[in-house]
Amino acid sequence: MSDLLESYAAGRWFRASDEGAPLLDASTGEEVARISSKGLDLGEMTSYARRVGGPALRALTFHERAALLKELGLHLMEDKDELYALSYRTGATKRDSMVDIDGGIGTMLSYSSKGRRELPNDTVVLDGALEPLGRAGTFVGQHLYTSRPGVAVQINAFNFPVWGMLEKLAPAFLAGLPSIVKPASQTAYLTELVVRRIIESGILPEGTLQLLAGSAGGLLDELQVQDSVAFTGSAHTAGMLRTHTNVLHGGVQLGVEADSLNCSVLGPDVTTDDPEFDLFVKGVVTEMTVKAGQKCTAIRRVIVPDAIADDVVEAISARLAKVTVGNPADDSVRMGALASLEQREEVRKAIQSLRSSAEIVYGDPDHVEVVDADAERGAFLSPVLLRAQKGAVEPHDVEPFGPVSTVMTYGSVEEAVELAARGKGSLVGSVVTHDRDVARSVILGLAPWHGRILVLDRDDAKESTGHGSPLPVLVHGGPGRAGGGEELGGMRGVLHHMQRTAIQGSPDMLTAITGRWTTGSERAVGDVHPFRKSLAELAIGDTIASASRRVTLADIEHFAEFTGDTFYAHTDEEAAAANPLFGGIVAHGYLVVSLAAGLFVDPDPGPVLANFGVDNLRFLTPVKADDTISVTLTVKQITPRTNADYGEVRWDALVTNEAGDPVATYDVLTLVAKTWPQQG
Amino acid sequence: MSDLLESYAAGRWFRASDEGAPLLDASTGEEVARISSKGLDLGEMTSYARRVGGPALRALTFHERAALLKELGLHLMEDKDELYALSYRTGATKRDSMVDIDGGIGTMLSYSSKGRRELPNDTVVLDGALEPLGRAGTFVGQHLYTSRPGVAVQINAFNFPVWGMLEKLAPAFLAGLPSIVKPASQTAYLTELVVRRIIESGILPEGTLQLLAGSAGGLLDELQVQDSVAFTGSAHTAGMLRTHTNVLHGGVQLGVEADSLNCSVLGPDVTTDDPEFDLFVKGVVTEMTVKAGQKCTAIRRVIVPDAIADDVVEAISARLAKVTVGNPADDSVRMGALASLEQREEVRKAIQSLRSSAEIVYGDPDHVEVVDADAERGAFLSPVLLRAQKGAVEPHDVEPFGPVSTVMTYGSVEEAVELAARGKGSLVGSVVTHDRDVARSVILGLAPWHGRILVLDRDDAKESTGHGSPLPVLVHGGPGRAGGGEELGGMRGVLHHMQRTAIQGSPDMLTAITGRWTTGSERAVGDVHPFRKSLAELAIGDTIASASRRVTLADIEHFAEFTGDTFYAHTDEEAAAANPLFGGIVAHGYLVVSLAAGLFVDPDPGPVLANFGVDNLRFLTPVKADDTISVTLTVKQITPRTNADYGEVRWDALVTNEAGDPVATYDVLTLVAKTWPQQG
């Protein structure tokens, strides 16, 4: 008897108290492992996550969490050979395993680098601009994201045992939530191996990752308001989760990615001679055969113009005929096995349903030639292409979770959009066209029904990652049948795990609460010029109140001549007087900010290394000749960079004239050394 | 018999086929109107919204929709007297009616002005930055919000018959969704009057607003994937909506604001002598008595330090003793009636439950002195304050939807946060403290449990809008018991009605689809300098490819001297050489952008009126002495301003050196006349 998979629960590896159920090799039918969660204390797991994992994780800043994800990703790269070897047993070819293993690790690394770039080195995230709530400026509002003191339960599908886990784990981890991972049993041995390598590495804080191998029955009973469940799988199981009392009435948040009837639309502009025709055909065949079509993003509906349908069917069939099926570890094999014999039976039933309004134009669901394998003991199935009658219902409702697609045809672009919409909401759609007007009208028609849409043509084909590939920086999810959830999408996927709260108070209170300087709050003007302070010495609110400078007509004229910016509003009194906004000569905006820099800069070498940018510069009051300006510069945000000897300081800059009117507001971005004089 | 309220359905006023149920004056028990939806064709309403209202609305840009909201708001202001007169019959005092009527119209006007400022004058909204997806730049991603081709059903509570409708209608309307408004029957006569005035005005496109007066039974059966339901009311009704098959399995989106057990926390720093003590007491009493405590945001739990609890109880009681109850139309009356005798019975039952672990310290649930009214025929109730035992359970679970609050006490800040969290999620909390450290720790502890938190102290008290007031610019909603929904929050409330989709394609395709110039797509350099083109003549992609200019050491030295920006990196060769980022003298960033302006500006009077700002300026490659720079400026976005003879043009600016390296990137913001020479 093979090994019983273990769960990692409450700080230790747990072995079930029974023999468990067998998990079989998809291609050979041999037993790979056994699985059971009998005797596992699910309440202990959730409370351990909340008690041990959550606090440890939330004690770290986003950048510190991101650094751990990077370390973990690089560590897992070293274990790839071992993971690939086991992955074959799921029926996956080498190419399939790349999507799962390299794709999963890559997603984690993407979250690490994007997290460091786009999140603050802090534990809360500000959302949107400050909202003035009173005229005098004593009452303001700021939206803020904070981490939930809960646990993120992740219920994954069998098709991507590595990617499925890591694409959910990485955003939850960044968001400060400990995870309980529950893989689908069928391929859980691969997930278990990855979790084992992660736990052994000791990289993640204890309690931030637990594994539930086996049945999750009763897990939702343990969840509370601050907990969430992210589920990927069938609409049927999603429906069951939705009716759990803790989801309906207990405030548990449920996110669902369900398999959907994704479509690919061939534009009406494309002829058989266009490169787009081949791109379309290749795309369909790829999506039918990668992972033997067992992808929630695969193309199930092939929507093509009436006139070209025969050509499309012929071309797809010809290409499918070249797909070798068999032992996934064999290099000549293009498509491996389905995950199990039961899955194959399900797909055959779905094909049978489809045949009530579509005819098979390629493949035989009951027979397939295989390489280096037994077609009956292994869950092998031929790719099957169907062609639907006009008005067919089943292709919009029946999902064959395997290497199966149905061709349907349209007359007008409106009809194509309508056909796509009949899928009732999808994870992804694609449109293959080189006509920009076609693209615009089809995409805008399809968009409300989709979480992601690929526009494929000769221009992006070389770099395109294809219809079926979710990317860490783009949202993954979709409305309606696709489950209504949204994952990934860069930091969007992190913020979904956090609570957004509007905070109202005085500017000083908001500065204290957010850790960032809030417009209207105290400015600390001290004896030391803040440019003389290192990152460690600088404090939020530290301020430079500059001397003032009169801007003369000669300054303006000289600046115009020197820079070449002789725009009439700076040089021609008569023409400037006619300008409805100025009514006379005004200083260049660039002159104002240049002089402001002259007023606030401390010239000598010091901890401020460089000004690397300016944000949100707005010119509010024109500066006329002989106006006198001064500038106030205040430390707004301090972001130490991990693994560097400097950090970023964002300064609030306010230029005013002698009447006190705001002339310009902007943020100045500088790099500041962590210590000064620099050590080491 | 009084009038039967009518529904506005499918373009006409509909009268039910039966007599309907009576709606009684809250204070007198007299019949105000009757209500029934018998015979109303709900399927016709939903299909009319999708067929007539939706397309009409989505043909308008966001700015055009915003302009209609403004017109409508101003129009309704003229009907205020009539609305106030009818509002008294709901039990509302004049102050209560202001919150409902002025608050509702104000919310609509806020959406109008914020919509014009923060949304493009277009029909799609870009979300986030462009995502490069390939190294060569031929494959990029952009998230986009589009309008759903569905209908927004809005089911409102009885307590705010005007605000409740308008705060849901305005964001949905801006988002491009037609609305079906279903008010709670009890006070539907006031909503019906507002809808009548709106329809009469002819301001909104036909089909964008329908009214369902009476039972909504069967309405959810008519809803589909692209439709949504926004519900405000009890957790019980919310639970029923959640189990509807179209919500569970049909993809209908349901947003819930449920009444929650909101708390107000008095900081441990506050003594009876501090102004915060009085602010706290006033806040509690206001929330208990406004709308007779019938607000989903009212303070139900009063959380105070152990040591000061007696003082708090005494002060609240003393203040409550001054609250006159009675005929809401009487100017001396501070608190009117509950909405109905049934509501009063509900509240009395809730008080009875609370008494199992709390004692009444002020008020008698069975007796109240009233002014100019009959205490029994009208639904009057005394304010009731309770004080809970330590460890009491009921105050965290039982909600008396009336003028009732319970005081509970804490020892440590952690205990205060824990008590607040026992409410299992709330719409709003408040913290009254003048101590910034207390504020930070309490707020960050409370935030994951709340949609909004008010920090009240002496600094913001004068301008504070109080604990109980949702504001259009801040999110309204909360986790767990509060329903898990989110409304308002400025444009957040609009985007919740739209579908976010990631679009992948070539830059040119994205430009065509989004209507905004995408980095990497074609630039059109023509014979006419784009600064000579009016807004009407300018096209996305129009480009200025400038001449080049050598930046000399003399230029840098001169600029330093002229502006006063003598930072060592620009002036001191030896010190600059030691700078780890530069390794020698570099040009000022401000010099680079100033010279760039000199290169791209067209000096003569023309349609470009002003440069009003710069966004996202980043200095990427240092410019050294004798480097040669040039600039490329491309039209990125064109935003005509409604009701003005100019619009905004956002230009993509790219400064490069002679090696082709990017020196600086930024967006230049200009105002451009719609026509040139200007007409009229």
Side-chain angles (χ1 to χ4, degrees):
Chain A
M1 198 163 66
S2 59
D3 267 2
L4 186 63
L5 300 182
E6 292 185 324
S7 293
Y8 186 73
R12 65 200 172 84
W13 286 97
F14 168 89
R15 196 177 189 80
S17 56
D18 63 359
E19 291 186 353
L23 305 175
L24 308 185
D25 184 304
S27 315
T28 64
E30 289 164 12
E31 191 173 299
V32 181
R34 304 183 68 87
I35 190 165
S36 169
S37 61
K38 187 165 186 195
L40 187 56
D41 185 340
L42 301 176
E44 193 194 6
M45 287 180 82
T46 54
S47 77
Y48 185 78
R50 292 189 205 104
R51 206 177 66 243
V52 178
L57 191 46
R58 291 191 294 277
L60 306 176
T61 66
F62 296 114
H63 289 202
E64 288 166 342
R65 296 171 207 167
L68 293 182
L69 288 181
K70 182 176 178 184
E71 191 182 343
L72 183 59
L74 297 177
H75 179 81
L76 287 179
M77 294 288 267
E78 296 167 14
D79 297 322
K80 265 169 46 175
D81 289 348
E82 183 188 23
L83 302 180
Y84 269 76
L86 193 56
S87 180
Y88 288 128
R89 309 207 66 178
T90 69
T93 63
K94 187 165 184 182
R95 186 173 64 150
D96 296 342
S97 298
M98 265 184 64
V99 173
D100 188 33
I101 298 168
D102 295 78
I105 298 172
T107 297
M108 195 154 66
L109 292 173
S110 168
Y111 266 89
S112 173
S113 69
K114 233 175 155 54
R116 272 171 298 163
R117 275 200 315 266
E118 299 182 12
L119 293 176
N121 198 355
D122 199 333
T123 57
V124 299
V125 182
L126 301 197
D127 176 59
L130 192 71
E131 298 286 348
L133 303 176
R135 284 174 189 278
T138 65
F139 189 53
V140 295
Q142 175 67 57
H143 291 86
L144 186 76
Y145 282 100
T146 55
S147 295
R148 299 194 178 115
V151 51
V153 169
Q154 294 150 10
I155 305 179
N156 292 315
F158 66 80
N159 50 352
F160 291 107
V162 181
W163 178 85
M165 171 174 72
L166 298 181
E167 66 99 12
K168 287 188 169 66
L169 175 65
F173 186 87
L174 261 187
L177 265 93
S179 293
I180 295 178
V181 172
K182 153 66 183 114
S185 292
Q186 232 150 29
T187 55
Y189 47 87
L190 184 50
T191 311
E192 195 232 30
L193 178 61
V194 178
V195 172
R196 218 169 258 285
R197 295 294 167 261
I198 294 176
I199 298 299
E200 281 167 6
S201 78
I203 292 169
L204 301 191
E206 174 52 31
T208 56
L209 171 62
Q210 297 179 80
L211 173 72
L212 195 175
S215 162
L219 181 58
L220 265 70
D221 300 342
E222 304 296 335
L223 301 185
Q224 305 169 359
V225 177
Q226 296 287 342
D227 302 332
S228 60
V229 178
F231 168 77
T232 295
S234 71
H236 177 75
T237 310
M240 293 196 336
L241 294 173
R242 284 206 180 91
T243 57
H244 191 282
T245 185
N246 283 345
V247 173
L248 284 176
H249 310 295
V252 171
Q253 295 172 66
L254 173 64
V256 170
E257 306 299 315
D259 312 326
S260 58
L261 291 161
N262 315 294
C263 66
S264 186
V265 179
L266 181 63
D269 54 300
V270 179
T271 70
T272 52
D273 294 334
D274 288 323
E276 283 72 25
F277 184 85
D278 288 334
L279 291 171
F280 182 78
V281 169
K282 271 188 209 165
V284 169
V285 171
T286 299
E287 292 304 319
M288 287 179 72
T289 55
V290 169
K291 285 297 288 186
Q294 299 169 107
K295 295 201 311 185
C296 51
T297 55
I299 297 170
R300 305 292 173 206
R301 299 180 298 149
V302 179
I303 302 179
V304 301
D306 292 321
I308 208 170
D310 290 342
D311 298 308
V312 170
V313 167
E314 195 181 317
I316 293 175
S317 300
R319 213 174 165 88
L320 285 174
K322 292 184 199 149
V323 173
T324 47
V325 179
N327 180 353
D330 186 307
D331 275 348
S332 73
V333 164
R334 175 83 179 279
M335 186 172 103
L338 298 191
S340 68
L341 296 175
E342 293 73 23
Q343 282 298 326
R344 182 170 66 181
E345 225 25 67
E346 289 292 320
V347 176
R348 282 177 175 160
K349 273 189 214 158
I351 294 171
Q352 201 50 41
S353 298
L354 288 171
R355 290 176 78 172
S356 59
S357 59
E359 56 163 345
I360 292 180
V361 289
Y362 179 86
D364 178 348
D366 298 315
H367 180 75
V368 60
E369 291 294 332
V370 297
V371 175
D372 188 22
D374 179 325
E376 281 318 299
R377 290 195 58 200
F380 297 100
L381 184 72
S382 164
V384 172
L385 186 70
L386 297 101
R387 181 164 178 176
Q389 298 158 12
K390 277 272 177 186
V393 170
E394 286 76 10
H396 303 292
D397 273 325
V398 176
E399 192 194 11
F401 203 67
V404 183
S405 282
T406 303
V407 176
M408 53 195 74
T409 67
Y410 69 85
S412 64
V413 162
E414 293 68 35
E415 195 186 347
V417 170
E418 199 185 301
L419 281 172
R422 290 187 62 188
K424 298 202 180 85
S426 296
L427 293 170
V428 55
S430 52
V431 182
V432 184
T433 175
H434 194 52
D435 182 309
R436 294 177 194 179
D437 293 334
V438 165
R440 181 173 166 89
S441 60
V442 177
I443 301 301
L444 294 184
L446 255 57
W449 303 90
H450 288 85
R452 179 168 61 84
I453 301 178
L454 166 70
V455 195
L456 186 65
D457 69 356
R458 63 196 76 175
D459 292 338
D460 66 1
K462 202 168 159 194
E463 290 203 302
S464 168
T465 48
H467 168 107
S469 301
L471 297 179
V473 301
L474 302 183
V475 293
H476 175 52
R481 189 192 297 269
E486 198 184 70
E487 291 182 339
L488 299 176
M491 294 309 106
R492 296 172 188 83
V494 174
L495 297 178
H496 281 313
H497 282 288
M498 304 182 75
Q499 173 68 38
R500 176 154 66 184
T501 308
I503 312 287
Q504 303 168 273
S506 71
D508 286 333
M509 276 297 177
L510 285 190
T511 294
I513 292 162
T514 63
R516 265 146 282 182
W517 189 80
T518 305
T519 303
S521 65
E522 288 169 8
R523 302 180 192 260
V525 180
D527 295 335
V528 179
H529 191 291
F531 276 30
R532 311 284 347 138
K533 293 186 182 178
S534 70
L535 203 72
E537 292 162 337
L538 272 179
I540 298 293
D542 279 356
T543 295
I544 302 155
S546 84
S548 61
R549 169 164 178 164
R550 196 161 66 100
V551 183
T552 64
L553 186 60
D555 285 338
I556 299 171
E557 284 170 352
H558 174 70
F559 190 77
E561 189 192 348
F562 172 58
T563 64
D565 181 350
T566 55
F567 191 60
Y568 71 95
H570 316 304
T571 54
D572 180 339
E573 181 58 48
E574 197 179 329
N579 181 301
L581 303 168
F582 300 137
I585 296 251
V586 296
H588 308 67
Y590 297 113
L591 173 57
V592 171
V593 293
S594 298
L595 296 178
L599 290 167
F600 69 63
V601 153
D602 180 83
D604 295 332
V608 174
L609 303 173
N611 165 16
F612 71 92
V614 171
D615 273 344
N616 305 322
L617 170 58
R618 290 295 178 276
F619 301 116
L620 303 173
T621 311
V623 173
K624 305 213 163 174
D626 294 329
D627 279 0
T628 297
I629 61 169
S630 60
V631 58
T632 310
L633 201 72
T634 302
V635 175
K636 196 170 194 169
Q637 183 176 4
I638 301 173
T639 308
R641 281 202 192 160
T642 315
N643 305 326
D645 53 5
Y646 56 88
E648 295 165 19
V649 177
R650 178 178 289 264
W651 307 77
D652 178 87
L654 169 65
V655 181
T656 50
N657 61 21
E658 67 273 25
D661 301 322
V663 162
T665 56
Y666 49 108
D667 285 2
V668 175
L669 310 177
T670 61
L671 296 178
V672 178
K674 285 183 177 174
T675 55
W676 187 263
Q678 286 196 286
Q679 291 150 1
Chain B
M1 198 164 69
S2 60
D3 268 2
L4 186 63
L5 299 182
E6 293 185 325
S7 292
Y8 186 73
R12 66 200 170 84
W13 286 97
F14 167 88
R15 197 176 190 79
S17 55
D18 64 357
E19 289 184 356
L23 304 175
L24 307 185
D25 184 305
S27 314
T28 64
E30 289 165 11
E31 190 173 302
V32 181
R34 303 182 69 86
I35 191 165
S36 169
S37 61
K38 188 164 182 195
L40 187 55
D41 185 339
L42 301 175
E44 194 194 4
M45 286 179 83
T46 53
S47 77
Y48 186 77
R50 291 188 207 105
R51 208 179 63 243
V52 178
L57 191 47
R58 291 191 294 276
L60 306 175
T61 66
F62 295 114
H63 288 203
E64 289 165 340
R65 296 171 207 166
L68 293 182
L69 289 180
K70 182 176 179 187
E71 191 182 344
L72 183 60
L74 297 177
H75 179 80
L76 287 178
M77 294 289 267
E78 296 167 16
D79 297 322
K80 263 168 51 176
D81 290 349
E82 183 188 22
L83 302 179
Y84 269 76
L86 193 57
S87 180
Y88 288 128
R89 309 207 68 176
T90 69
T93 64
K94 188 167 182 179
R95 187 173 63 149
D96 295 343
S97 298
M98 266 183 64
V99 174
D100 188 33
I101 298 167
D102 295 77
I105 298 172
T107 297
M108 196 155 63
L109 292 173
S110 167
Y111 266 90
S112 173
S113 68
K114 236 177 154 49
R116 272 170 298 164
R117 276 201 314 268
E118 299 182 10
L119 293 176
N121 197 357
D122 200 332
T123 56
V124 299
V125 182
L126 301 196
D127 177 60
L130 192 72
E131 298 287 349
L133 303 176
R135 283 173 190 277
T138 65
F139 189 52
V140 295
Q142 173 67 56
H143 292 84
L144 185 75
Y145 282 100
T146 54
S147 295
R148 298 190 179 119
V151 51
V153 170
Q154 295 150 10
I155 305 178
N156 293 313
F158 66 81
N159 50 352
F160 292 107
V162 182
W163 178 84
M165 172 174 69
L166 298 181
E167 67 99 13
K168 287 189 169 67
L169 175 65
F173 186 88
L174 262 187
L177 265 93
S179 293
I180 294 176
V181 172
K182 153 64 183 118
S185 291
Q186 235 151 24
T187 55
Y189 47 87
L190 184 50
T191 310
E192 194 231 31
L193 177 59
V194 178
V195 171
R196 217 168 259 286
R197 294 294 166 261
I198 294 176
I199 299 298
E200 281 166 8
S201 78
I203 293 169
L204 300 191
E206 174 51 32
T208 55
L209 171 62
Q210 297 179 81
L211 173 71
L212 195 176
S215 162
L219 182 56
L220 266 69
D221 300 341
E222 304 296 336
L223 301 185
Q224 305 169 358
V225 177
Q226 295 287 340
D227 303 329
S228 60
V229 177
F231 168 77
T232 296
S234 70
H236 178 74
T237 309
M240 294 197 333
L241 293 173
R242 283 205 181 91
T243 58
H244 191 283
T245 183
N246 282 345
V247 173
L248 284 176
H249 310 295
V252 172
Q253 296 173 64
L254 172 64
V256 170
E257 306 299 314
D259 312 326
S260 59
L261 292 162
N262 314 294
C263 67
S264 186
V265 179
L266 182 64
D269 54 301
V270 179
T271 70
T272 53
D273 296 333
D274 287 324
E276 282 73 24
F277 184 84
D278 289 334
L279 291 170
F280 182 76
V281 169
K282 272 187 209 165
V284 170
V285 172
T286 298
E287 292 304 318
M288 287 179 73
T289 56
V290 169
K291 286 295 289 185
Q294 299 170 106
K295 295 200 311 183
C296 52
T297 56
I299 298 170
R300 305 291 173 206
R301 299 181 299 149
V302 179
I303 302 179
V304 301
D306 291 321
I308 209 173
D310 291 342
D311 297 308
V312 170
V313 167
E314 194 181 316
I316 293 175
S317 300
R319 211 173 166 90
L320 285 174
K322 292 184 197 150
V323 173
T324 49
V325 179
N327 180 352
D330 187 308
D331 274 351
S332 73
V333 164
R334 177 82 180 279
M335 185 172 103
L338 299 190
S340 68
L341 296 175
E342 293 74 25
Q343 282 298 325
R344 182 169 68 181
E345 226 23 66
E346 288 293 319
V347 176
R348 282 176 175 158
K349 273 189 214 157
I351 294 172
Q352 201 49 41
S353 297
L354 289 171
R355 290 177 78 174
S356 61
S357 60
E359 56 163 345
I360 292 180
V361 290
Y362 179 85
D364 178 348
D366 297 316
H367 180 74
V368 61
E369 292 292 334
V370 296
V371 175
D372 188 20
D374 179 324
E376 281 316 301
R377 290 195 57 201
F380 296 101
L381 185 72
S382 165
V384 172
L385 186 71
L386 297 101
R387 182 165 176 174
Q389 299 158 11
K390 277 271 177 187
V393 171
E394 287 77 8
H396 303 293
D397 272 326
V398 176
E399 192 195 10
F401 202 67
V404 183
S405 281
T406 303
V407 176
M408 54 196 72
T409 68
Y410 69 86
S412 64
V413 162
E414 292 69 33
E415 195 185 347
V417 170
E418 199 185 300
L419 281 171
R422 290 187 61 188
K424 299 202 181 88
S426 296
L427 293 170
V428 54
S430 51
V431 182
V432 185
T433 175
H434 193 53
D435 183 306
R436 294 177 194 177
D437 292 336
V438 165
R440 182 173 164 89
S441 60
V442 177
I443 301 299
L444 293 185
L446 257 55
W449 302 91
H450 288 85
R452 179 168 62 84
I453 301 178
L454 167 70
V455 194
L456 187 64
D457 69 356
R458 65 196 74 175
D459 292 338
D460 65 1
K462 205 171 156 192
E463 291 204 302
S464 168
T465 47
H467 169 107
S469 301
L471 296 180
V473 300
L474 301 183
V475 294
H476 175 52
R481 189 192 297 270
E486 197 184 70
E487 292 182 340
L488 298 177
M491 293 310 104
R492 295 172 188 83
V494 175
L495 297 178
H496 281 314
H497 283 287
M498 303 181 77
Q499 173 67 37
R500 176 154 63 186
T501 307
I503 313 287
Q504 303 168 273
S506 72
D508 285 333
M509 275 297 178
L510 285 189
T511 295
I513 292 162
T514 63
R516 265 149 279 184
W517 189 80
T518 305
T519 303
S521 65
E522 288 170 6
R523 304 181 192 258
V525 180
D527 295 335
V528 179
H529 191 291
F531 276 28
R532 311 289 340 143
K533 292 186 183 179
S534 70
L535 202 71
E537 292 162 338
L538 272 178
I540 297 294
D542 279 357
T543 295
I544 301 156
S546 82
S548 60
R549 171 165 176 162
R550 196 161 65 100
V551 183
T552 64
L553 187 60
D555 287 335
I556 299 170
E557 285 169 352
H558 174 70
F559 189 77
E561 187 190 349
F562 172 59
T563 64
D565 181 352
T566 55
F567 191 61
Y568 71 93
H570 315 305
T571 54
D572 180 337
E573 181 59 48
E574 197 179 328
N579 181 302
L581 304 170
F582 301 135
I585 295 255
V586 296
H588 308 68
Y590 297 113
L591 172 59
V592 170
V593 292
S594 299
L595 296 179
L599 289 168
F600 68 65
V601 153
D602 180 81
D604 296 332
V608 174
L609 304 173
N611 166 14
F612 70 94
V614 170
D615 273 345
N616 305 323
L617 170 58
R618 292 293 179 277
F619 301 115
L620 303 172
T621 310
V623 173
K624 306 214 163 174
D626 295 328
D627 279 0
T628 297
I629 60 169
S630 58
V631 57
T632 309
L633 202 71
T634 301
V635 175
K636 196 172 194 170
Q637 184 176 7
I638 301 174
T639 308
R641 281 203 193 159
T642 315
N643 305 325
D645 52 6
Y646 56 88
E648 295 165 19
V649 177
R650 177 177 289 265
W651 307 77
D652 179 87
L654 169 65
V655 182
T656 50
N657 61 21
E658 69 273 23
D661 302 322
V663 162
T665 56
Y666 48 108
D667 285 1
V668 175
L669 311 177
T670 60
L671 297 178
V672 178
K674 285 183 178 173
T675 57
W676 187 261
Q678 285 195 290
Q679 291 149 0

